[in-house]
Every structure is written in C-alpha cells, then in structure tokens.
Amino acid sequence: MKQLFFFFALFLTFFQIHSQENLPTDYLSKEFHKGRREAFRNLMPANSVALIFSYPERVFSKDINYNYHQNPDLYYLSGYKEPDAVLFIFKETQGPEKYNEVLFVRERNASKETWTGRRLGTEGAKSKLGFTAVYNGKDFKDFAIDLKKFNKIIYDKIPTDIGNDKSGFDLYGLLESFKTKAGISKENEASSTDLFTNITNTLREIKTPEEMDLLRKSIKLSCIAHNEVMKAIGPNMSENEADGIHAYVHRHYGAEGEGYPPIVGAGANGCILHYGENNATKIDNQLLLMDVGSEYHGYSADVTRTIPANGKFTEEQKAIYQLVYEAQEEVFKIAKPGTPFQDLNQKSREVIAAGLIKLGIITDPKDARIYYPHSCSHYLGLDVHDKGNYAGILKENMVLTVEPGIYIPANSKCDKKWWNIGVRIEDDIAITKDSYENLSAESPRKWQDIEKLSAQKSTFNEMKFPKI
C-alpha cells in the first residue's frame, strides 16, 4: 500500500510539473487579484465578512459536463478557476493567525486528476494565487469561525439548481454549511445580496490597465475573425461555416472560446435577436448578421457586423444599414464622461425613429420599438453583459458596447420590400478622459468599406476538403 501511495504521489508531482509547459504568459497576475480583494474590502462596512462561491458544474450530456466556467466574481477576486470553492474576505483582521481572507478549494486527488485534469490544491493556491490561508473544502464545515458575530454577511444570490454528490464538501455541501454557520433566512438575504451587487458593480464597471490589455486582445482578434468572414463569404456558405471561421480565428490567437453563444443569422434569421441555431445551409443573396465575440482569458468581446453574402448591398439593405450606422455615429458623439448611461439608448432610439418615419416604415415614433426592441449599450468585461451601475453616468475606463439595430421580419406592417432585413452594428468602446476610443475599429462599419473588403480573398477560400 505504501508503494502504491508513493507511486501516485510521484506521478502527481511529475504530472503537475511537466504538464504546465507552454502556457500563456499573459494571464492576470496574483497581484491583480490581490488588489481587487483590497478594493472590495475598502467598500465593505465595519465588522463584515463577504463570501464568494464558485459556480456549479453543468451537465452537457448524461455523465459529461460542459467545460467549466468560473463565477466571474470569484475569478476576479482570486484567480481560482475550479469548482467547489469559496472565498472569505473580512473587513478586519481575524483571530490570532491575523488573516483577513481565507480560500477553500478542491482537494488534490491523483486518481481524479488523471481523468479530469490537474487541480491547484491548497499549496498551488498559495504559490500561484498568493493566498496565505488556504484549506480544502472538506475543512469548511468544521472551520472555527462564528459568522453570526458579524454585523453584515455579504454574499451573492444563492443558486438552488445545483447538484449534490453527497460528499458534504462539493458546492452543495459548502452552501449548506454556510447557511448553518450564518443562520441566514429569506428576511436577511436581500440586503446582503444587494450590498454584494453594489460593491461588485462599482468595482467591475471601471477597468484596470491589466483588464484593458485583455479586452483589447479579445476585441482585436474578434475583429480579425469578422474581417475574414467578410472576405470568405459567398451565397453558398452556410451559417455554420461562417460561425466556424470565427471559432478557428479565435482559437488561432489563443482565445479559450466565445464569450456567449454565437449569433450567425442570414435573412429572416438575422431578425431573431438571439438566434442561435446557425444551421441554414445556404446564406443565399441575403444579409448575414454576425454577433460573435471571443473570450480571451475570461474577458469577452462583443462585436456585430452585418454583411451582404454576395458582396453588394441592395438599395433597401443599404438604406436600413445606413440608418443604423447613423444612429451609432450619433451615440458616439455623446459617449464621454458625465453622460448618463441611459442617454445612449435614448439618442439611438430618436435617430432610428426619425429614420424609419422618413423611409415610410412607421408613422409614429413610438412604433420604432417594433423594429428596434433592445437597448443600445451594456458594459463589457468578464461577463458579456458585464456588471456596472446602469443608472449612473459614464466614467473614464468604462468599457461598453454601442449596438443599435433594426429588424423587419416577414409580414411586418410595412412594404414587403423591407421584409427579412435585419441589421445590427455593434462596437466596443472605452470611455477616455474626454471622449471615447472605438476598440473594434479594425473591423469596417461603413457599407462602402464592407463591400471593398468583401471583394478580397480570404485564406479560407483556398481550403480544400474531401467531398462527402
């Protein structure tokens, strides 16, 4: 038995050392995450404690899970990427050990790591993430802390649809132990979650230089992907193939995937705001609306371009496209510090309403909502619809989208020459000291520039696959 244990320990050490080669070097640093914990602590009231739990794992099929995606708040504050974890942040130093934060993580397990991948464990969390007080999740239940002594326990809304492996120290077990330790009830839960939301909104709406580096990278490679599809597109291309070009380009540049399910819709499909099937076998001579953004080291781009499959806009397509473009341009003019966030939406709605009336599509400005049913902007970051104070004003180093759109499905109450035209133009901007910077300017927005780029050839045009 001792020999078997020694073998597993030796294998685990070898596995951890030799499987860590050739990893990206531009992840957020442990100093970044420590700084975010300090910023969080500074916003906490006296005699309070915050708990941030990992997200649950989700089933893809039978006994196969989706690739795990960490709770962005936990990642932001710790850098920890694994499930079944909880982070404590204390306002004041605690106990004779003088700690002000504690992280509970999944225990290392040589057998399981052979099947499902390496784990940091307690020592890894100390060395790689910079924590001093780290324990295995199984230690949480008996951890000597009286949560009831704090004036305020700060935590996010507790999920209810999570699995229970009966171990007592998976996420389900951690949450049950927390409820017991804290003596929480529905009566005190709301104010605690509101405070958590207020703190994280305040922190995450302003991006640090390290975050800006990752957002710029994510947005840049998303623009490259959009441009490649513009060059490669043709009437015989499928939605799925266009989607695949985006995915390939993202991964070629090191992105882990997409920040949200890609929307790649041709014609009538482009009039469905969150269309996700992407399974039309031919785009034909229609517009293709592509709302696709990469996720690079946790940070999501969100770029939308609408392009003609045959490389040329029809007059009707051009008219709708130009109206959306003009709405976006007018919003850019007021995108600067001090502008109320909601003014962006109001400005885009005014421009689109006036344009639709001019085109004869509507007669009452209120009816613009029929063809423009969503808002113009949202924050961008670790979540594609990132945290922030949407009732506030724009501030320097915020990153947000500007995405007006018009969608006219078949059987709309207008001339049928407009039917099945769906256009959205979405760019990602950073608010600067006096104005804004368009981070996605590398992908063309003007219809003339799109037609010009579509006339070029893509590397993907030269790819030859066997017939099946």
Side-chain angles (χ1 to χ4, degrees):
M1 182 61 70
K2 289 183 178 180
Q3 289 179 327
L4 183 61
F5 177 80
F6 175 78
F7 170 78
F8 270 117
L10 185 65
F11 172 80
L12 195 59
T13 301
F14 178 86
F15 179 77
Q16 187 174 40
I17 293 174
H18 292 277
S19 61
Q20 295 283 339
E21 298 176 352
N22 300 319
L23 293 176
T25 58
D26 57 347
Y27 290 123
L28 292 171
S29 67
K30 59 185 178 183
E31 290 77 18
F32 166 85
H33 298 294
K34 181 178 180 180
R36 294 296 83 200
R37 293 195 296 277
E38 288 298 327
F40 189 103
R41 185 176 291 110
N42 289 338
L43 296 176
M44 295 169 63
N47 192 33
S48 64
V49 58
L51 290 89
I52 303 93
F53 289 86
S54 59
Y55 271 175
E57 296 182 277
R58 296 298 186 191
V59 175
F60 174 78
S61 175
K62 194 184 175 184
D63 55 351
I64 304 297
N65 287 337
Y66 283 97
N67 286 337
Y68 184 68
H69 192 281
Q70 184 58 278
N71 174 359
D73 285 318
L74 180 57
Y75 177 69
Y76 181 75
L77 294 166
S78 70
Y80 190 70
K81 301 177 183 178
E82 300 172 33
D84 301 332
V86 59
L87 169 66
F88 282 71
I89 300 177
F90 301 93
K91 178 66 174 182
E92 294 89 7
T93 301
Q94 304 293 311
E97 299 89 351
K98 303 295 184 182
Y99 58 81
N100 61 8
E101 55 195 25
V102 180
L103 180 65
F104 291 86
V105 301
R106 288 198 309 177
E107 188 173 18
R108 300 209 65 191
N109 183 304
S111 177
K112 289 183 178 179
E113 290 184 54
T114 300
W115 287 93
T116 58
R118 67 184 71 88
R119 300 179 178 186
L120 275 183
T122 56
E123 294 307 310
K126 290 177 182 178
S127 62
K128 295 183 182 298
L129 303 182
F131 284 90
T132 301
V134 187
Y135 300 89
N136 289 315
K138 67 180 182 181
D139 300 320
F140 180 61
K141 184 176 181 180
D142 297 322
F143 186 69
I145 178 129
D146 180 13
L147 291 179
K148 297 176 184 177
K149 74 176 184 178
F150 294 98
N151 293 342
K152 180 65 71 173
I153 305 173
I154 307 167
Y155 54 94
D156 202 357
K157 184 177 180 181
I158 296 175
T160 57
D161 56 336
I162 57 175
N164 178 8
D165 69 4
K166 310 296 185 181
S167 68
F169 48 85
D170 62 346
L171 179 59
Y172 185 92
L174 294 175
L175 286 167
E176 290 302 302
S177 295
F178 163 60
K179 292 175 186 178
T180 301
K181 288 176 178 290
I184 64 171
S185 65
K186 289 297 180 183
E187 287 70 29
N188 61 20
E189 184 174 343
S191 63
S192 298
T193 57
D194 287 347
L195 181 53
F196 180 86
T197 299
N198 289 339
I199 292 174
T200 51
N201 280 353
T202 299
L203 291 179
R204 285 177 53 185
E205 72 178 4
I206 305 297
K207 301 304 187 285
T208 68
E210 299 94 329
E211 291 180 287
M212 285 302 307
D213 287 343
L214 296 182
L215 276 166
R216 287 181 185 279
K217 179 72 174 284
S218 187
I219 294 165
K220 180 180 178 65
L221 62 91
S222 298
C223 289
I224 294 172
H226 276 279
N227 293 353
E228 283 304 313
V229 178
M230 288 185 197
K231 292 186 288 185
I233 196 170
N236 291 324
M237 180 180 282
S238 68
E239 292 173 346
N240 198 33
E241 185 179 358
D243 184 357
I245 292 175
H246 283 279
Y248 180 86
V249 173
H250 294 166
R251 285 155 180 76
H252 174 77
Y253 288 104
E256 288 79 4
E258 287 68 53
Y260 52 96
I263 300 166
V264 183
N269 295 335
C271 296
I272 302 171
L273 300 185
H274 285 169
Y275 173 74
E277 288 85 350
N278 303 346
N279 59 4
T281 57
K282 286 187 178 181
I283 300 171
D284 286 329
N285 293 314
Q286 303 179 98
L287 290 179
L288 180 67
L289 189 155
M290 304 180 294
D291 187 338
V292 191
S294 80
E295 182 182 287
Y296 188 84
H297 299 353
Y299 285 81
S300 179
D302 192 3
V303 180
T304 304
R305 292 293 183 263
T306 307
I307 61 178
N310 61 5
K312 294 290 183 180
F313 289 91
T314 67
E315 290 305 310
E316 289 76 20
Q317 292 169 350
K318 190 184 301 180
I320 298 298
Y321 188 94
Q322 186 63 22
L323 176 52
V324 175
Y325 175 84
E326 289 168 1
Q328 196 183 37
E329 287 290 296
E330 290 302 309
V331 172
F332 286 152
K333 291 178 182 178
I334 63 171
K336 57 186 177 183
T339 297
F341 192 98
Q342 294 304 322
D343 282 10
L344 306 181
N345 184 54
Q346 182 62 31
K347 175 59 69 174
S348 67
R349 198 161 297 284
E350 290 172 358
V351 176
I352 286 179
L356 290 175
I357 289 173
K358 188 175 181 179
L359 292 172
I361 295 174
I362 63 174
T363 57
D364 186 335
K366 294 180 181 178
D367 289 339
R369 184 169 292 278
I370 297 172
Y371 303 111
Y372 177 30
H374 59 78
S375 296
C376 179
S377 298
H378 58 77
Y379 292 113
L380 191 65
L382 283 168
D383 286 297
V384 65
H385 297 152
D386 208 27
K387 288 192 167 185
N389 297 299
Y390 283 85
I393 61 172
L394 301 186
K395 302 172 186 175
E396 186 178 3
N397 295 322
M398 286 180 169
V399 178
L400 54 139
T401 66
V402 178
E403 51 173 311
I406 297 173
Y407 318 89
I408 311 175
N411 300 312
S412 294
K413 294 180 180 180
C414 61
D415 193 314
K416 65 186 210 176
K417 70 180 182 180
W418 305 110
W419 290 0
N420 292 331
I421 295 178
V423 174
R424 181 161 64 250
I425 311 172
E426 180 176 18
D427 283 88
D428 304 335
I429 67 171
I431 302 301
T432 61
K433 183 178 181 180
D434 301 308
S435 184
Y436 76 96
E437 177 189 358
N438 187 351
L439 303 177
S440 49
E442 189 169 335
S443 187
R445 296 185 300 119
K446 292 182 178 180
W447 67 263
Q448 300 94 328
D449 294 337
I450 289 174
E451 289 189 349
K452 186 181 298 184
L453 186 60
S454 294
Q456 298 181 23
K457 290 292 183 183
S458 166
T459 301
F460 291 93
N461 293 128
E462 309 304 321
M463 299 178 71
K464 304 294 183 183
F465 294 97
K467 291 184 178 181
I468 58 173

